Amino acid sequence: MPSRDHEDTVRRAKALYEARKSRVPIPPFTDTDPGLGMDDGYAVQRELVALLLADGDAVIGYKAGLTSAPMRSMFGVDTPDYGPVLSSTVLADGATVSCEAFIAPKVEAEIVFRLAKPLAGPGVTVERARAAIGEVRAGLEIVDSRIEDWRIGLADTIADLASNGAVVVGHPVPPSPDLDYRLVGMAFSRDGELVATGAGAAAMGDPVAVVAWLANVLGEQGVSLEAGHLIMTGALHAAVPLRPGDTFTAEFDHLGAITLHVGGGGA
């Protein structure tokens, strides 16, 4: 017979699943159970992913969140979090999205890697992670919350696939042994007006370190990063809300520019 804890986990996963479909947010789980922690969030995330995969979706990579020190401080944690990248959420450079396809969407720029070799932790070093990278791309992540008004505790955002909404990936660039990804700069504009800047070092000090961290954390659960997986390494600046009619452009050193258009109505 399932434990009460497991029943609660399944109930929460189903609530998030329905919120994703209806685009009607739900109250934070931590409102009624403030003791929920990281492990509880991941238990719900696993159940939610199982529901989404049963609908025909597929995990094609992973995203890391809370990769900047200020964000970890805000949540009172000393480690990033993660969630899957689902095939249904991946968009190409220049895509147009509708705000109505989300609940409370925001956008942030980040460096994206595509693996040429699998990585299985524990024990994955930054050097080994770098050797497994097959492509580098400019990326935009649309973060969204199925939790009301972004009132998220740590367990809430982890359960909600680390608040992932969609990802936009740019054109592939071959990795360079001479390029220090910590120093890759980025300028982020909305409708031609600069609104944020950042550099690769904002993501755990080195975006390649994010790849190693993911491999090791997932390895503890018997999960490997596979060849072909996309790895979203974390925001290089504070997320910016989407508004109908906006055009966002992130210009990266070495990786080029990537653009996202926001349409009006329609899903």
mmCIF file of all heavy atoms in Angstrom, residues 60-63 85 110-116 119 126 129-139 169-170 172-176 179-182 184 200 203 206-212 214 225-234 255:
data_model
loop_
_atom_site.group_PDB
_atom_site.id
_atom_site.type_symbol
_atom_site.label_atom_id
_atom_site.label_comp_id
_atom_site.label_asym_id
_atom_site.label_seq_id
_atom_site.Cartn_x
_atom_site.Cartn_y
_atom_site.Cartn_z
ATOM 1 N N ILE A 60 15.290 15.494 -23.366
ATOM 2 C CA ILE A 60 16.401 15.627 -24.317
ATOM 3 C C ILE A 60 17.568 16.419 -23.716
ATOM 4 O O ILE A 60 18.479 16.823 -24.434
ATOM 5 C CB ILE A 60 15.935 16.286 -25.627
ATOM 6 C CG1 ILE A 60 15.413 17.697 -25.369
ATOM 7 C CG2 ILE A 60 14.890 15.434 -26.321
ATOM 8 C CD1 ILE A 60 15.318 18.522 -26.631
ATOM 9 N N GLY A 61 17.529 16.596 -22.409
ATOM 10 C CA GLY A 61 18.608 17.289 -21.740
ATOM 11 C C GLY A 61 18.169 17.738 -20.367
ATOM 12 O O GLY A 61 17.130 17.301 -19.848
ATOM 13 N N TYR A 62 18.970 18.623 -19.778
ATOM 14 C CA TYR A 62 18.680 19.113 -18.431
ATOM 15 C C TYR A 62 19.019 20.592 -18.335
ATOM 16 O O TYR A 62 19.903 21.090 -19.031
ATOM 17 C CB TYR A 62 19.473 18.335 -17.379
ATOM 18 C CG TYR A 62 18.961 16.924 -17.213
ATOM 19 C CD1 TYR A 62 19.442 15.891 -18.022
ATOM 20 C CD2 TYR A 62 17.953 16.623 -16.299
ATOM 21 C CE1 TYR A 62 18.946 14.601 -17.912
ATOM 22 C CE2 TYR A 62 17.456 15.335 -16.185
ATOM 23 C CZ TYR A 62 17.952 14.333 -16.984
ATOM 24 O OH TYR A 62 17.454 13.064 -16.883
ATOM 25 N N LYS A 63 18.304 21.270 -17.457
ATOM 26 C CA LYS A 63 18.600 22.663 -17.145
ATOM 27 C C LYS A 63 19.033 22.751 -15.690
ATOM 28 O O LYS A 63 18.524 22.019 -14.823
ATOM 29 C CB LYS A 63 17.383 23.555 -17.364
ATOM 30 C CG LYS A 63 16.187 23.256 -16.472
ATOM 31 C CD LYS A 63 15.300 24.482 -16.253
ATOM 32 C CE LYS A 63 15.972 25.514 -15.359
ATOM 33 N NZ LYS A 63 15.076 26.632 -14.983
ATOM 34 N N VAL A 85 14.939 19.066 -19.643
ATOM 35 C CA VAL A 85 14.526 19.791 -20.842
ATOM 36 C C VAL A 85 13.688 18.822 -21.671
ATOM 37 O O VAL A 85 14.164 17.739 -22.036
ATOM 38 C CB VAL A 85 15.733 20.289 -21.655
ATOM 39 C CG1 VAL A 85 15.270 20.923 -22.969
ATOM 40 C CG2 VAL A 85 16.545 21.303 -20.849
ATOM 41 N N GLU A 110 21.407 32.447 -21.536
ATOM 42 C CA GLU A 110 22.394 31.547 -20.957
ATOM 43 C C GLU A 110 23.165 30.813 -22.032
ATOM 44 O O GLU A 110 22.809 30.828 -23.206
ATOM 45 C CB GLU A 110 21.737 30.569 -19.988
ATOM 46 C CG GLU A 110 20.549 29.802 -20.507
ATOM 47 C CD GLU A 110 19.809 29.135 -19.357
ATOM 48 O OE1 GLU A 110 20.158 27.983 -19.024
ATOM 49 O OE2 GLU A 110 18.895 29.758 -18.776
ATOM 50 N N ILE A 111 24.235 30.179 -21.610
ATOM 51 C CA ILE A 111 25.074 29.383 -22.502
ATOM 52 C C ILE A 111 24.563 27.944 -22.493
ATOM 53 O O ILE A 111 24.272 27.382 -21.432
ATOM 54 C CB ILE A 111 26.543 29.433 -22.051
ATOM 55 C CG1 ILE A 111 27.074 30.870 -22.212
ATOM 56 C CG2 ILE A 111 27.405 28.458 -22.841
ATOM 57 C CD1 ILE A 111 28.444 31.093 -21.589
ATOM 58 N N VAL A 112 24.432 27.369 -23.681
ATOM 59 C CA VAL A 112 23.905 26.014 -23.828
ATOM 60 C C VAL A 112 24.983 25.128 -24.450
ATOM 61 O O VAL A 112 25.634 25.512 -25.422
ATOM 62 C CB VAL A 112 22.653 26.003 -24.734
ATOM 63 C CG1 VAL A 112 22.073 24.601 -24.839
ATOM 64 C CG2 VAL A 112 21.615 26.983 -24.218
ATOM 65 N N PHE A 113 25.150 23.948 -23.894
ATOM 66 C CA PHE A 113 26.056 22.954 -24.458
ATOM 67 C C PHE A 113 25.254 21.770 -24.981
ATOM 68 O O PHE A 113 24.208 21.425 -24.421
ATOM 69 C CB PHE A 113 27.051 22.446 -23.409
ATOM 70 C CG PHE A 113 27.994 23.487 -22.887
ATOM 71 C CD1 PHE A 113 28.012 23.811 -21.539
ATOM 72 C CD2 PHE A 113 28.878 24.143 -23.729
ATOM 73 C CE1 PHE A 113 28.878 24.764 -21.034
ATOM 74 C CE2 PHE A 113 29.754 25.102 -23.243
ATOM 75 C CZ PHE A 113 29.762 25.411 -21.888
ATOM 76 N N ARG A 114 25.770 21.152 -26.023
ATOM 77 C CA ARG A 114 25.219 19.877 -26.496
ATOM 78 C C ARG A 114 26.333 18.857 -26.419
ATOM 79 O O ARG A 114 27.436 19.078 -26.927
ATOM 80 C CB ARG A 114 24.699 19.999 -27.928
ATOM 81 C CG ARG A 114 23.939 18.771 -28.421
ATOM 82 C CD ARG A 114 23.258 19.065 -29.761
ATOM 83 N NE ARG A 114 22.438 17.967 -30.213
ATOM 84 C CZ ARG A 114 22.890 16.966 -30.974
ATOM 85 N NH1 ARG A 114 24.156 16.942 -31.358
ATOM 86 N NH2 ARG A 114 22.075 16.006 -31.359
ATOM 87 N N LEU A 115 26.052 17.751 -25.754
ATOM 88 C CA LEU A 115 27.093 16.761 -25.500
ATOM 89 C C LEU A 115 27.330 15.875 -26.716
ATOM 90 O O LEU A 115 26.389 15.459 -27.392
ATOM 91 C CB LEU A 115 26.718 15.892 -24.294
ATOM 92 C CG LEU A 115 26.537 16.613 -22.959
ATOM 93 C CD1 LEU A 115 26.279 15.597 -21.848
ATOM 94 C CD2 LEU A 115 27.749 17.479 -22.616
ATOM 95 N N ALA A 116 28.599 15.580 -26.955
ATOM 96 C CA ALA A 116 28.975 14.614 -27.988
ATOM 97 C C ALA A 116 29.224 13.239 -27.392
ATOM 98 O O ALA A 116 29.220 12.239 -28.112
ATOM 99 C CB ALA A 116 30.222 15.087 -28.728
ATOM 100 N N LEU A 119 28.053 11.357 -20.152
ATOM 101 C CA LEU A 119 28.739 11.631 -18.892
ATOM 102 C C LEU A 119 27.948 10.980 -17.766
ATOM 103 O O LEU A 119 26.752 11.243 -17.621
ATOM 104 C CB LEU A 119 28.840 13.132 -18.633
ATOM 105 C CG LEU A 119 29.873 13.935 -19.418
ATOM 106 C CD1 LEU A 119 29.669 15.424 -19.159
ATOM 107 C CD2 LEU A 119 31.290 13.514 -19.038
ATOM 108 N N VAL A 126 35.583 18.888 -14.233
ATOM 109 C CA VAL A 126 35.340 19.936 -15.220
ATOM 110 C C VAL A 126 36.058 19.607 -16.524
ATOM 111 O O VAL A 126 35.527 19.810 -17.621
ATOM 112 C CB VAL A 126 35.778 21.310 -14.672
ATOM 113 C CG1 VAL A 126 35.716 22.381 -15.752
ATOM 114 C CG2 VAL A 126 34.898 21.709 -13.489
ATOM 115 N N ALA A 129 34.106 16.989 -18.339
ATOM 116 C CA ALA A 129 32.885 17.578 -18.878
ATOM 117 C C ALA A 129 33.186 18.383 -20.132
ATOM 118 O O ALA A 129 32.469 18.291 -21.138
ATOM 119 C CB ALA A 129 32.224 18.463 -17.821
ATOM 120 N N ARG A 130 34.258 19.151 -20.095
ATOM 121 C CA ARG A 130 34.616 19.963 -21.260
ATOM 122 C C ARG A 130 34.918 19.074 -22.458
ATOM 123 O O ARG A 130 34.540 19.380 -23.596
ATOM 124 C CB ARG A 130 35.816 20.846 -20.924
ATOM 125 C CG ARG A 130 36.162 21.829 -22.037
ATOM 126 C CD ARG A 130 37.252 22.792 -21.606
ATOM 127 N NE ARG A 130 37.526 23.740 -22.680
ATOM 128 C CZ ARG A 130 37.416 25.045 -22.590
ATOM 129 N NH1 ARG A 130 37.031 25.592 -21.454
ATOM 130 N NH2 ARG A 130 37.691 25.825 -23.616
ATOM 131 N N ALA A 131 35.576 17.950 -22.228
ATOM 132 C CA ALA A 131 35.923 17.044 -23.325
ATOM 133 C C ALA A 131 34.686 16.384 -23.941
ATOM 134 O O ALA A 131 34.746 15.902 -25.078
ATOM 135 C CB ALA A 131 36.893 15.977 -22.825
ATOM 136 N N ALA A 132 33.574 16.355 -23.196
ATOM 137 C CA ALA A 132 32.354 15.717 -23.697
ATOM 138 C C ALA A 132 31.481 16.667 -24.506
ATOM 139 O O ALA A 132 30.522 16.231 -25.148
ATOM 140 C CB ALA A 132 31.545 15.158 -22.529
ATOM 141 N N ILE A 133 31.799 17.946 -24.504
ATOM 142 C CA ILE A 133 30.978 18.938 -25.184
ATOM 143 C C ILE A 133 31.215 18.883 -26.686
ATOM 144 O O ILE A 133 32.354 18.940 -27.153
ATOM 145 C CB ILE A 133 31.281 20.352 -24.640
ATOM 146 C CG1 ILE A 133 30.821 20.460 -23.181
ATOM 147 C CG2 ILE A 133 30.604 21.422 -25.498
ATOM 148 C CD1 ILE A 133 31.322 21.699 -22.470
ATOM 149 N N GLY A 134 30.116 18.773 -27.434
ATOM 150 C CA GLY A 134 30.223 18.710 -28.890
ATOM 151 C C GLY A 134 29.834 19.988 -29.598
ATOM 152 O O GLY A 134 30.288 20.246 -30.710
ATOM 153 N N GLU A 135 28.983 20.783 -28.959
ATOM 154 C CA GLU A 135 28.521 22.049 -29.541
ATOM 155 C C GLU A 135 28.285 23.044 -28.414
ATOM 156 O O GLU A 135 27.948 22.660 -27.285
ATOM 157 C CB GLU A 135 27.194 21.886 -30.290
ATOM 158 C CG GLU A 135 27.213 20.992 -31.500
ATOM 159 C CD GLU A 135 25.815 20.756 -32.036
ATOM 160 O OE1 GLU A 135 24.825 21.257 -31.447
ATOM 161 O OE2 GLU A 135 25.703 20.057 -33.061
ATOM 162 N N VAL A 136 28.420 24.306 -28.762
ATOM 163 C CA VAL A 136 28.059 25.387 -27.856
ATOM 164 C C VAL A 136 27.052 26.266 -28.592
ATOM 165 O O VAL A 136 27.178 26.480 -29.801
ATOM 166 C CB VAL A 136 29.289 26.230 -27.454
ATOM 167 C CG1 VAL A 136 28.938 27.154 -26.303
ATOM 168 C CG2 VAL A 136 30.469 25.337 -27.111
ATOM 169 N N ARG A 137 26.048 26.752 -27.874
ATOM 170 C CA ARG A 137 25.016 27.566 -28.505
ATOM 171 C C ARG A 137 24.611 28.712 -27.578
ATOM 172 O O ARG A 137 24.636 28.569 -26.356
ATOM 173 C CB ARG A 137 23.764 26.736 -28.817
ATOM 174 C CG ARG A 137 24.009 25.539 -29.727
ATOM 175 C CD ARG A 137 22.718 24.799 -29.981
ATOM 176 N NE ARG A 137 22.922 23.578 -30.748
ATOM 177 C CZ ARG A 137 22.193 23.231 -31.799
ATOM 178 N NH1 ARG A 137 21.209 24.012 -32.206
ATOM 179 N NH2 ARG A 137 22.424 22.103 -32.444
ATOM 180 N N ALA A 138 24.246 29.820 -28.187
ATOM 181 C CA ALA A 138 23.527 30.845 -27.440
ATOM 182 C C ALA A 138 22.155 30.291 -27.080
ATOM 183 O O ALA A 138 21.558 29.528 -27.848
ATOM 184 C CB ALA A 138 23.394 32.109 -28.281
ATOM 185 N N GLY A 139 21.651 30.670 -25.921
ATOM 186 C CA GLY A 139 20.356 30.162 -25.507
ATOM 187 C C GLY A 139 19.532 31.196 -24.772
ATOM 188 O O GLY A 139 20.064 32.124 -24.150
ATOM 189 N N VAL A 169 17.186 27.813 -28.684
ATOM 190 C CA VAL A 169 18.605 27.525 -28.870
ATOM 191 C C VAL A 169 19.079 28.083 -30.202
ATOM 192 O O VAL A 169 18.376 28.033 -31.209
ATOM 193 C CB VAL A 169 18.899 26.006 -28.781
ATOM 194 C CG1 VAL A 169 18.696 25.514 -27.357
ATOM 195 C CG2 VAL A 169 18.029 25.206 -29.736
ATOM 196 N N GLY A 170 20.282 28.637 -30.181
ATOM 197 C CA GLY A 170 20.853 29.241 -31.362
ATOM 198 C C GLY A 170 21.584 28.243 -32.231
ATOM 199 O O GLY A 170 21.481 27.022 -32.054
ATOM 200 N N PRO A 172 24.619 26.047 -33.768
ATOM 201 C CA PRO A 172 25.744 25.374 -33.113
ATOM 202 C C PRO A 172 27.087 25.987 -33.488
ATOM 203 O O PRO A 172 27.317 26.364 -34.638
ATOM 204 C CB PRO A 172 25.632 23.930 -33.618
ATOM 205 C CG PRO A 172 24.877 24.024 -34.904
ATOM 206 C CD PRO A 172 23.935 25.173 -34.752
ATOM 207 N N VAL A 173 27.947 26.085 -32.501
ATOM 208 C CA VAL A 173 29.314 26.552 -32.682
ATOM 209 C C VAL A 173 30.239 25.458 -32.146
ATOM 210 O O VAL A 173 30.011 24.952 -31.042
ATOM 211 C CB VAL A 173 29.556 27.870 -31.920
ATOM 212 C CG1 VAL A 173 31.004 28.307 -32.017
ATOM 213 C CG2 VAL A 173 28.627 28.957 -32.453
ATOM 214 N N PRO A 174 31.263 25.063 -32.904
ATOM 215 C CA PRO A 174 32.174 24.029 -32.385
ATOM 216 C C PRO A 174 32.880 24.514 -31.127
ATOM 217 O O PRO A 174 33.227 25.707 -31.017
ATOM 218 C CB PRO A 174 33.176 23.832 -33.533
ATOM 219 C CG PRO A 174 32.509 24.392 -34.739
ATOM 220 C CD PRO A 174 31.630 25.497 -34.261
ATOM 221 N N PRO A 175 33.084 23.629 -30.159
ATOM 222 C CA PRO A 175 33.818 24.042 -28.962
ATOM 223 C C PRO A 175 35.267 24.359 -29.302
ATOM 224 O O PRO A 175 35.838 23.773 -30.225
ATOM 225 C CB PRO A 175 33.717 22.819 -28.044
ATOM 226 C CG PRO A 175 33.524 21.668 -28.966
ATOM 227 C CD PRO A 175 32.733 22.202 -30.131
ATOM 228 N N SER A 176 35.839 25.288 -28.571
ATOM 229 C CA SER A 176 37.229 25.684 -28.799
ATOM 230 C C SER A 176 38.047 25.388 -27.553
ATOM 231 O O SER A 176 37.674 25.816 -26.453
ATOM 232 C CB SER A 176 37.319 27.171 -29.129
ATOM 233 O OG SER A 176 38.658 27.615 -29.081
ATOM 234 N N LEU A 179 38.953 28.633 -25.697
ATOM 235 C CA LEU A 179 37.945 29.568 -25.221
ATOM 236 C C LEU A 179 37.607 29.301 -23.755
ATOM 237 O O LEU A 179 37.251 28.189 -23.378
ATOM 238 C CB LEU A 179 36.681 29.459 -26.069
ATOM 239 C CG LEU A 179 35.532 30.413 -25.710
ATOM 240 C CD1 LEU A 179 35.978 31.860 -25.767
ATOM 241 C CD2 LEU A 179 34.336 30.175 -26.632
ATOM 242 N N ASP A 180 37.736 30.333 -22.946
ATOM 243 C CA ASP A 180 37.365 30.256 -21.536
ATOM 244 C C ASP A 180 35.912 30.699 -21.426
ATOM 245 O O ASP A 180 35.596 31.886 -21.549
ATOM 246 C CB ASP A 180 38.275 31.166 -20.710
ATOM 247 C CG ASP A 180 38.065 31.004 -19.216
ATOM 248 O OD1 ASP A 180 37.009 30.476 -18.816
ATOM 249 O OD2 ASP A 180 38.962 31.423 -18.451
ATOM 250 N N TYR A 181 35.014 29.748 -21.196
ATOM 251 C CA TYR A 181 33.585 30.054 -21.194
ATOM 252 C C TYR A 181 33.191 30.951 -20.019
ATOM 253 O O TYR A 181 32.122 31.561 -20.045
ATOM 254 C CB TYR A 181 32.767 28.768 -21.209
ATOM 255 C CG TYR A 181 32.950 27.995 -22.493
ATOM 256 C CD1 TYR A 181 33.735 26.851 -22.539
ATOM 257 C CD2 TYR A 181 32.372 28.441 -23.677
ATOM 258 C CE1 TYR A 181 33.942 26.160 -23.720
ATOM 259 C CE2 TYR A 181 32.558 27.756 -24.866
ATOM 260 C CZ TYR A 181 33.355 26.616 -24.879
ATOM 261 O OH TYR A 181 33.556 25.952 -26.063
ATOM 262 N N ARG A 182 34.029 31.042 -19.014
ATOM 263 C CA ARG A 182 33.749 31.976 -17.919
ATOM 264 C C ARG A 182 33.723 33.410 -18.416
ATOM 265 O O ARG A 182 33.025 34.265 -17.869
ATOM 266 C CB ARG A 182 34.824 31.871 -16.831
ATOM 267 C CG ARG A 182 34.956 30.490 -16.183
ATOM 268 C CD ARG A 182 36.121 30.501 -15.228
ATOM 269 N NE ARG A 182 37.363 30.897 -15.911
ATOM 270 C CZ ARG A 182 38.488 31.227 -15.288
ATOM 271 N NH1 ARG A 182 38.543 31.227 -13.962
ATOM 272 N NH2 ARG A 182 39.557 31.565 -15.980
ATOM 273 N N VAL A 184 32.945 34.508 -21.531
ATOM 274 C CA VAL A 184 32.031 34.805 -22.651
ATOM 275 C C VAL A 184 31.023 35.849 -22.181
ATOM 276 O O VAL A 184 30.214 35.599 -21.281
ATOM 277 C CB VAL A 184 31.323 33.533 -23.140
ATOM 278 C CG1 VAL A 184 30.232 33.883 -24.155
ATOM 279 C CG2 VAL A 184 32.335 32.579 -23.767
ATOM 280 N N GLY A 200 29.720 34.308 -18.678
ATOM 281 C CA GLY A 200 29.607 32.898 -18.340
ATOM 282 C C GLY A 200 29.906 32.582 -16.896
ATOM 283 O O GLY A 200 29.347 31.640 -16.326
ATOM 284 N N ALA A 203 27.365 31.614 -14.009
ATOM 285 C CA ALA A 203 26.826 30.259 -13.827
ATOM 286 C C ALA A 203 27.845 29.402 -13.077
ATOM 287 O O ALA A 203 28.763 28.824 -13.661
ATOM 288 C CB ALA A 203 26.493 29.638 -15.176
ATOM 289 N N ASP A 206 31.689 28.958 -13.690
ATOM 290 C CA ASP A 206 32.129 28.403 -14.966
ATOM 291 C C ASP A 206 31.000 27.534 -15.502
ATOM 292 O O ASP A 206 30.628 26.543 -14.845
ATOM 293 C CB ASP A 206 33.399 27.561 -14.775
ATOM 294 C CG ASP A 206 33.937 26.974 -16.070
ATOM 295 O OD1 ASP A 206 33.244 27.049 -17.102
ATOM 296 O OD2 ASP A 206 35.053 26.419 -16.044
ATOM 297 N N PRO A 207 30.418 27.848 -16.668
ATOM 298 C CA PRO A 207 29.305 27.029 -17.161
ATOM 299 C C PRO A 207 29.682 25.568 -17.391
ATOM 300 O O PRO A 207 28.817 24.689 -17.313
ATOM 301 C CB PRO A 207 28.887 27.722 -18.454
ATOM 302 C CG PRO A 207 30.006 28.614 -18.824
ATOM 303 C CD PRO A 207 30.699 28.988 -17.557
ATOM 304 N N VAL A 208 30.951 25.295 -17.667
ATOM 305 C CA VAL A 208 31.362 23.889 -17.822
ATOM 306 C C VAL A 208 31.259 23.159 -16.488
ATOM 307 O O VAL A 208 30.942 21.965 -16.436
ATOM 308 C CB VAL A 208 32.782 23.793 -18.402
ATOM 309 C CG1 VAL A 208 33.181 22.334 -18.599
ATOM 310 C CG2 VAL A 208 32.877 24.540 -19.727
ATOM 311 N N ALA A 209 31.486 23.883 -15.389
ATOM 312 C CA ALA A 209 31.327 23.277 -14.066
ATOM 313 C C ALA A 209 29.890 22.865 -13.814
ATOM 314 O O ALA A 209 29.621 21.913 -13.070
ATOM 315 C CB ALA A 209 31.798 24.248 -12.986
ATOM 316 N N VAL A 210 28.942 23.572 -14.448
ATOM 317 C CA VAL A 210 27.532 23.194 -14.332
ATOM 318 C C VAL A 210 27.305 21.818 -14.949
ATOM 319 O O VAL A 210 26.560 20.989 -14.407
ATOM 320 C CB VAL A 210 26.628 24.249 -14.994
ATOM 321 C CG1 VAL A 210 25.167 23.823 -14.938
ATOM 322 C CG2 VAL A 210 26.813 25.608 -14.335
ATOM 323 N N VAL A 211 27.936 21.554 -16.089
ATOM 324 C CA VAL A 211 27.802 20.252 -16.749
ATOM 325 C C VAL A 211 28.326 19.146 -15.831
ATOM 326 O O VAL A 211 27.674 18.104 -15.646
ATOM 327 C CB VAL A 211 28.552 20.237 -18.095
ATOM 328 C CG1 VAL A 211 28.408 18.875 -18.772
ATOM 329 C CG2 VAL A 211 28.042 21.340 -19.014
ATOM 330 N N ALA A 212 29.494 19.380 -15.239
ATOM 331 C CA ALA A 212 30.068 18.378 -14.328
ATOM 332 C C ALA A 212 29.160 18.171 -13.120
ATOM 333 O O ALA A 212 28.920 17.028 -12.692
ATOM 334 C CB ALA A 212 31.462 18.822 -13.890
ATOM 335 N N LEU A 214 25.899 18.643 -12.885
ATOM 336 C CA LEU A 214 24.715 17.883 -13.280
ATOM 337 C C LEU A 214 25.015 16.400 -13.428
ATOM 338 O O LEU A 214 24.251 15.551 -12.967
ATOM 339 C CB LEU A 214 24.169 18.429 -14.603
ATOM 340 C CG LEU A 214 23.169 19.574 -14.540
ATOM 341 C CD1 LEU A 214 22.944 20.152 -15.927
ATOM 342 C CD2 LEU A 214 21.843 19.109 -13.941
ATOM 343 N N LEU A 225 23.949 11.676 -18.219
ATOM 344 C CA LEU A 225 23.791 12.608 -19.323
ATOM 345 C C LEU A 225 24.203 11.869 -20.589
ATOM 346 O O LEU A 225 25.253 11.234 -20.620
ATOM 347 C CB LEU A 225 24.674 13.845 -19.123
ATOM 348 C CG LEU A 225 24.365 14.710 -17.906
ATOM 349 C CD1 LEU A 225 25.361 15.867 -17.825
ATOM 350 C CD2 LEU A 225 22.940 15.234 -17.954
ATOM 351 N N GLU A 226 23.384 11.953 -21.628
ATOM 352 C CA GLU A 226 23.622 11.171 -22.832
ATOM 353 C C GLU A 226 24.175 12.034 -23.954
ATOM 354 O O GLU A 226 23.982 13.250 -23.984
ATOM 355 C CB GLU A 226 22.317 10.509 -23.293
ATOM 356 C CG GLU A 226 21.656 9.626 -22.253
ATOM 357 C CD GLU A 226 22.486 8.418 -21.858
ATOM 358 O OE1 GLU A 226 23.407 8.053 -22.617
ATOM 359 O OE2 GLU A 226 22.220 7.852 -20.784
ATOM 360 N N ALA A 227 24.856 11.401 -24.885
ATOM 361 C CA ALA A 227 25.288 12.107 -26.095
ATOM 362 C C ALA A 227 24.062 12.690 -26.777
ATOM 363 O O ALA A 227 23.040 12.016 -26.933
ATOM 364 C CB ALA A 227 26.019 11.149 -27.028
ATOM 365 N N GLY A 228 24.153 13.957 -27.176
ATOM 366 C CA GLY A 228 23.024 14.646 -27.779
ATOM 367 C C GLY A 228 22.211 15.478 -26.813
ATOM 368 O O GLY A 228 21.416 16.326 -27.244
ATOM 369 N N HIS A 229 22.386 15.259 -25.517
ATOM 370 C CA HIS A 229 21.636 16.037 -24.544
ATOM 371 C C HIS A 229 22.023 17.516 -24.597
ATOM 372 O O HIS A 229 23.205 17.868 -24.709
ATOM 373 C CB HIS A 229 21.900 15.508 -23.130
ATOM 374 C CG HIS A 229 20.938 14.462 -22.693
ATOM 375 N ND1 HIS A 229 21.087 13.741 -21.525
ATOM 376 C CD2 HIS A 229 19.783 13.991 -23.256
ATOM 377 C CE1 HIS A 229 20.081 12.886 -21.394
ATOM 378 N NE2 HIS A 229 19.290 13.019 -22.432
ATOM 379 N N LEU A 230 21.007 18.375 -24.501
ATOM 380 C CA LEU A 230 21.229 19.803 -24.319
ATOM 381 C C LEU A 230 21.372 20.101 -22.837
ATOM 382 O O LEU A 230 20.599 19.579 -22.012
ATOM 383 C CB LEU A 230 20.041 20.603 -24.867
ATOM 384 C CG LEU A 230 19.825 20.612 -26.378
ATOM 385 C CD1 LEU A 230 18.514 21.322 -26.709
ATOM 386 C CD2 LEU A 230 20.988 21.288 -27.093
ATOM 387 N N ILE A 231 22.320 20.935 -22.487
ATOM 388 C CA ILE A 231 22.530 21.335 -21.104
ATOM 389 C C ILE A 231 22.403 22.851 -21.018
ATOM 390 O O ILE A 231 23.215 23.589 -21.570
ATOM 391 C CB ILE A 231 23.918 20.901 -20.582
ATOM 392 C CG1 ILE A 231 24.151 19.404 -20.827
ATOM 393 C CG2 ILE A 231 24.049 21.257 -19.104
ATOM 394 C CD1 ILE A 231 23.185 18.484 -20.127
ATOM 395 N N MET A 232 21.354 23.299 -20.343
ATOM 396 C CA MET A 232 21.146 24.725 -20.086
ATOM 397 C C MET A 232 21.874 25.054 -18.793
ATOM 398 O O MET A 232 21.551 24.513 -17.729
ATOM 399 C CB MET A 232 19.658 25.031 -19.958
ATOM 400 C CG MET A 232 18.773 24.513 -21.071
ATOM 401 S SD MET A 232 18.976 25.405 -22.621
ATOM 402 C CE MET A 232 18.330 27.023 -22.181
ATOM 403 N N THR A 233 22.853 25.963 -18.872
ATOM 404 C CA THR A 233 23.777 26.116 -17.751
ATOM 405 C C THR A 233 23.390 27.193 -16.747
ATOM 406 O O THR A 233 24.081 27.361 -15.744
ATOM 407 C CB THR A 233 25.206 26.383 -18.261
ATOM 408 O OG1 THR A 233 25.227 27.583 -19.034
ATOM 409 C CG2 THR A 233 25.703 25.209 -19.089
ATOM 410 N N GLY A 234 22.308 27.919 -16.978
ATOM 411 C CA GLY A 234 21.849 28.871 -15.977
ATOM 412 C C GLY A 234 21.941 30.310 -16.426
ATOM 413 O O GLY A 234 22.792 30.693 -17.236
ATOM 414 N N LEU A 255 29.591 33.217 -29.692
ATOM 415 C CA LEU A 255 28.447 32.349 -29.989
ATOM 416 C C LEU A 255 27.422 33.012 -30.900
ATOM 417 O O LEU A 255 26.527 32.344 -31.415
ATOM 418 C CB LEU A 255 27.751 31.903 -28.696
ATOM 419 C CG LEU A 255 28.644 31.280 -27.627
ATOM 420 C CD1 LEU A 255 27.806 30.870 -26.426
ATOM 421 C CD2 LEU A 255 29.419 30.097 -28.189
#
